[in-house]
């Protein structure tokens, strides 16, 4: 439990000195806005029940009392009384500037090729289904490293959708709820041939991009066809170290991504490297097949191509790549905003058949957060 050592207030601010020596300075308006009593806050869903316009701009603290674990404040001019749990005040103190962000690069462990791991993150699917600790570790691997391999997933068509049901929801697209990656006559996408595929992220032409991709191996008796993955956030951070100018161009210049066939026409205007408001890398869109003809000003076209080539060359560095062959029953679950995937060419003798599907990061992070808080309570 967090203990209050001393407490004082001026009109517009409450000051708490904590037993560990840290200090919280909390504005009256902020405290009133965050009243935790049922009149202002629904503790079943964590949602606020009042609007900012319900609170006078001139709100001040009129009086404060405290018990061992509670702080009670009476505000003026509306004479509203709020009660706060000391732990809540400590956890939510904004002096520490603890902006919540689980997507940006600073929340991740960036990795450089297979040497970053003694063993690639993996879990047994039966354990994943019935043991919350296994599921938590597997989903944490996706949050931290961007991927996990599930072993012993039943080798039957459609299993990929069952896997998603354990942590989130299927993101259906024009490819359907799931898609088969195997050699096809007249394919509508190069993925459905036996050609090698360079490192890419899927579907940059969608808004939002599907945050998660799953690839489940049903058969892989062909020669070749190894899967290669790499950390796009690491590659983008290398670009930033090697050329701030090229990094700025790719993170500040929006380009069009497009997919078009007889029944579908998708466009998105976005940057190849996306930063969040904290200036951290949060999404990489890299897919040579899906970049529409560039429409940049004449003066910046060559510089953009230089930056684009620089990033592409970084992606070609083999020391950044983890290469492995997916065997029947193995499923690769990865963050499609971060992890590039590629495929080596495979022989037309033998068969290679993967089933893929998309999901969203929100569902995975929500499940992970619930699993973490359950683990913390037990
Ligand atoms: Fe792909």
């Amino acid at each position: 439990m967090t203990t209050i050592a001393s407490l004082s207030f001026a009109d517009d601010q409450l000051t708490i000195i904590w037993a560990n020596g840290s200090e919280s300075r909390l504005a009256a308006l902020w405290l009133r806005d965050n009243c935790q009593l049922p009149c202002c806050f629904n503790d079943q869903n964590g949602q606020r029940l009042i609007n900012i316009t319900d609170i006078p701009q001139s709100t001040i603290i009129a009086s404060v009392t405290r018990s061992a674990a509670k702080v009670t404040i009476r505000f003026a001019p509306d004479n509203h009384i709020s009660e706060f749990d000391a732990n809540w005040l400590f956890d939510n103190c904004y002096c520490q500037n603890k902006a919540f962000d689980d997507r940006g690069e600073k929340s991740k462990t960036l990795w450089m090729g297979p040497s970053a791991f003694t063993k690639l993150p993996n879990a047994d699917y039966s354990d994943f289904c019935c043991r919350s600790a296994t599921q938590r570790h597997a989903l944490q691997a996706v949050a931290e490293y961007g991927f996990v391999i599930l072993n012993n997933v039943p080798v039957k068509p459609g299993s990929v959708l069952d896997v998603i049901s354990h942590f989130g929801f299927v993101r259906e697209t024009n490819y359907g709820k799931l898609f088969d990656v195997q050699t096809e006559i007249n394919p509508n996408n190069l993925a459905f041939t036996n050609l090698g595929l360079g490192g890419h992220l899927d579907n940059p032409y969608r808004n939002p991009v599907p945050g998660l991709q799953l690839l489940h191996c049903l058969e892989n008796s062909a020669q070749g066809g190894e899967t290669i993955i790499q950390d796009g956030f690491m590659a983008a951070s290398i670009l930033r170290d090697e050329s701030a100018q090229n990094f700025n161009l790719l993170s500040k210049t929006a380009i069009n991504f497009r997919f078009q066939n007889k029944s579908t026409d998708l466009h998105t205007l976005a940057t190849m490297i996306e930063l969040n408001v904290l200036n951290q890398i949060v999404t990489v869109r890299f897919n040579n097949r899906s970049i529409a003809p560039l429409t940049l000003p004449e003066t910046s076209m060559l510089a953009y191509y230089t930056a684009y080539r620089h990033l592409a060359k970084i992606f070609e560095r083999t020391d950044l790549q983890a290469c492995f062959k997916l065997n029947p029953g193995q499923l690769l679950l990865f963050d499609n905003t971060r992890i590039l995937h590629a495929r080596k060419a495979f022989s037309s003798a033998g068969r290679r058949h993967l089933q893929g599907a998309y999901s969203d990061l929100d569902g995975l992070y929500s499940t992970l957060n619930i699993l973490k808080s359950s683990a913390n309570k037990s």
Side-chain angles (χ1 to χ4, degrees):
M1 189 180 120
T2 311
T3 310
I4 296 173
S6 67
L7 183 150
S8 60
F9 73 96
D11 284 352
D12 60 349
Q13 181 173 281
L14 176 72
T15 301
I16 303 172
I17 309 293
W18 299 98
N20 68 4
S22 66
E23 185 177 311
S24 293
R25 295 173 305 283
L26 304 170
L29 202 52
W30 181 91
L31 287 160
R32 178 67 188 85
D33 184 37
N34 287 291
C35 175
Q36 298 290 292
L37 295 183
C39 51
C40 300
F41 180 78
N42 183 331
D43 69 358
Q44 299 299 304
N45 59 24
Q47 300 211 321
R48 183 181 286 101
L49 302 175
I50 52 171
N51 291 318
I52 185 63
T53 50
D54 296 332
I55 307 169
Q57 178 66 30
S58 58
T59 291
I60 58 169
I61 298 170
S63 65
V64 176
T65 55
R66 78 166 160 118
S67 61
K70 298 256 185 250
V71 176
T72 304
I73 301 175
R74 186 170 62 81
F75 295 96
D78 64 357
N79 219 24
H80 185 83
I81 293 175
S82 298
E83 196 174 74
F84 295 92
D85 183 271
N87 286 318
W88 187 94
L89 289 170
F90 185 83
D91 290 343
N92 289 279
C93 168
Y94 56 87
C95 301
Q96 314 297 325
N97 234 340
K98 296 176 285 193
F100 179 80
D101 172 53
D102 55 11
R103 307 295 167 89
E105 61 182 304
K106 290 282 192 292
S107 311
K108 316 288 182 190
T109 301
L110 274 50
W111 54 274
M112 173 99 79
S115 58
F117 308 99
T118 46
K119 198 171 180 201
L120 295 179
N122 70 92
D124 179 78
Y125 182 59
S126 308
D127 285 350
F128 179 85
C129 294
C130 65
R131 293 191 61 232
S132 55
T134 304
Q135 189 172 131
R136 189 176 79 247
H137 287 130
L139 300 184
Q140 179 61 32
V142 179
E144 189 171 345
Y145 303 110
F147 73 101
V148 70
I149 296 167
L150 298 180
N151 296 310
N152 304 312
V153 177
V155 183
K156 66 171 204 271
S159 293
V160 66
L161 301 180
D162 297 336
V163 174
I164 292 175
S165 69
H166 288 282
F167 61 80
F169 305 94
V170 175
R171 171 82 180 273
E172 191 169 358
T173 70
N174 56 298
Y175 299 121
K177 282 189 168 61
L178 58 78
F179 47 90
D180 289 280
V181 185
Q182 58 188 334
T183 308
E184 221 180 68
I185 309 296
N186 297 324
N188 69 0
N189 190 307
L190 274 184
F192 308 141
T193 69
N194 62 346
L195 301 173
L197 282 177
H200 64 279
L201 298 116
D202 271 20
N203 294 199
Y205 39 78
R206 294 186 204 283
N207 184 10
V209 165
L212 287 169
Q213 184 172 174
L214 299 90
L215 289 171
H216 176 214
C217 181
L218 295 174
E219 191 172 0
N220 203 355
S221 58
Q223 287 277 320
E226 291 87 351
T227 297
I228 298 167
I229 57 172
Q230 60 186 297
D231 186 351
F233 285 10
M234 171 58 91
S237 74
I238 291 172
L239 177 72
R240 182 172 51 201
D241 292 343
E242 293 181 352
S243 170
Q245 183 186 347
N246 287 345
F247 181 84
N248 285 338
L249 266 173
L250 297 190
S251 58
K252 295 196 169 20
T253 311
I255 60 171
N256 279 113
F257 296 89
R258 187 171 193 190
F259 176 86
Q260 185 180 32
N261 67 11
K262 277 186 186 157
S263 57
T264 307
D265 192 357
L266 294 159
H267 286 263
T268 285
L269 180 68
T271 55
M272 204 174 282
I273 297 170
E274 184 178 324
L275 307 180
N276 63 16
V277 291
L278 305 171
N279 241 11
Q280 298 174 17
I281 301 161
V282 72
T283 297
V284 175
R285 293 180 188 82
F286 188 87
N287 189 322
N288 65 301
R289 288 172 284 141
S290 305
I291 298 173
L294 296 175
T295 53
L296 306 175
E298 283 176 64
T299 48
S300 51
M301 187 63 81
L302 283 182
Y304 190 87
Y305 267 110
T306 300
Y308 173 25
R309 180 185 301 276
H310 189 168
L311 183 61
K313 285 286 187 191
I314 293 171
F315 285 136
E316 287 178 0
R317 296 178 191 172
T318 51
D319 58 344
L320 264 66
Q321 302 172 350
C323 178
F324 50 91
K325 188 155 184 168
L326 280 175
N327 291 311
Q330 288 190 304
L331 181 146
L332 176 64
L333 165 60
F334 61 97
D335 180 341
N336 186 53
T337 66
R338 173 182 174 191
I339 300 296
L340 279 82
H341 60 291
R343 175 189 78 201
K344 291 192 176 176
F346 58 98
S347 66
S348 45
R351 277 177 52 82
R352 183 180 189 273
H353 183 191
L354 308 183
Q355 277 196 326
Y358 299 119
S359 182
D360 288 310
L361 283 165
D362 279 346
L364 183 144
Y365 276 96
S366 170
T367 304
L368 177 58
N369 291 335
I370 296 292
L371 289 167
K372 279 180 177 171
S373 63
S374 303
N376 288 339
K377 283 179 199 148
S378 60

